[in-house]
Amino acid sequence: MNKCVFAAAVLFAALPQISSAAEITGGTVGIGFSQFTDDGDLDKTSATGSLEVGFNRQFSLQGDLAFASFGASDTDANNVALHAIYHAGPTTSFGAFAGHDHAEGAGMDYYGLEAGHSYGQFGGEAYVSHAKEDGVSGNLFGLSGRYAVNDAFGVTAGYDHIDVESFDANRTQIGVDYKLGNVTLSGDFGHADGDELGSSNYVSVGATFAFGPQRRTTFKQRDLIRVIPGL
């Protein structure tokens, strides 16, 4: 079993024991749907879950799980990942993460570094990672941000770049989200282009339920499943 898969499984399975020694600071459970605008068969349905456990004010661990089904290729994929996070202050955090993507008998390991910072009504994240599978390797990086118009409504933007061997792709998107208590509804419009995928626009919608004292996790998920709108 992949080491990241095993470690994440232990983290989620041992929650009753962990909670007595540390604090569950936040978590999210979400569902989403995305589709390319010029081809209705190119779509993705996904489910995600993240949980963060804080050991003190400076250090925490975040575990991620993700599942997706791609309509056109009839492919199912899943992901598991762990983040080790250092909180430098109330508005700045740094992390190191590692994960494993798996789809139709093939898997890819990845690891990387990330950082997040908030200032006033704006919050942003950046990451860089390296992925490899059976001698095939490449790099990913991305930026994302959110501007809080008010306590409920926000405007978001993001960019991701993938360069794995001969596959080179970009994804850019803008969107909005609206909070209804612990539930956040979101909608995005984006553009994706790649060596084999061509160039196309896409739309996505989602709903996320947040829980715990912070009602969130520190970082977003970093898997390839998240980056690819549909296949």
Side-chain angles (χ1 to χ4, degrees):
M1 178 182 291
N2 181 273
K3 292 180 180 179
C4 293
V5 176
F6 178 76
V10 170
L11 175 64
F12 279 93
L15 288 181
Q17 292 77 21
I18 291 175
S19 61
S20 64
E23 178 187 7
I24 298 175
T25 58
T28 60
V29 178
I31 56 173
F33 178 81
S34 61
Q35 181 175 315
F36 284 105
T37 58
D38 57 354
D39 190 337
D41 293 330
L42 296 176
D43 63 70
K44 178 185 73 174
T45 303
S46 61
T48 60
S50 295
L51 184 75
E52 187 169 340
V53 177
F55 296 93
N56 53 46
R57 292 183 178 180
Q58 286 74 42
F59 180 71
S60 65
L61 287 177
Q62 177 183 324
D64 302 329
L65 294 173
F67 304 90
S69 177
F70 295 92
S73 59
D74 195 26
T75 299
D76 294 327
N78 58 75
N79 163 267
V80 62
L82 280 176
H83 308 244
I85 303 169
Y86 173 72
H87 303 282
T91 61
T92 304
S93 298
F94 300 95
F97 59 89
H100 180 77
D101 284 319
H102 186 84
E104 301 298 321
M108 176 170 285
D109 296 317
Y110 63 89
Y111 55 89
L113 300 173
E114 58 196 344
H117 180 72
S118 60
Y119 181 79
Q121 294 170 269
F122 176 80
E125 297 183 18
Y127 76 93
V128 59
S129 66
H130 180 76
K132 61 180 180 179
E133 175 200 4
D134 296 333
V136 177
S137 63
N139 300 306
L140 299 83
F141 67 85
L143 302 166
S144 63
R146 180 181 187 271
Y147 179 79
V149 178
N150 53 44
D151 291 340
F153 180 71
V155 179
T156 62
Y159 172 79
D160 296 277
H161 175 75
I162 307 171
D163 184 7
V164 179
E165 294 297 329
S166 60
F167 180 74
D168 189 14
N170 301 279
R171 185 191 76 160
T172 306
Q173 66 180 37
I174 58 173
V176 296
D177 60 35
Y178 189 80
K179 295 182 179 180
L180 295 169
N182 288 359
V183 177
T184 298
L185 305 176
S186 62
D188 298 281
F189 176 81
H191 179 81
D193 62 84
D195 293 337
E196 298 180 7
L197 297 176
S199 179
S200 181
N201 299 322
Y202 67 90
V203 293
S204 64
V205 293
T208 303
F209 174 78
F211 58 92
Q214 295 184 7
R215 295 188 178 183
R216 63 179 181 87
T217 53
T218 299
F219 289 113
K220 296 181 179 180
Q221 298 193 357
R222 304 299 183 200
D223 52 279
L224 280 172
I225 297 173
R226 173 190 59 86
V227 176
I228 301 174
L231 285 175

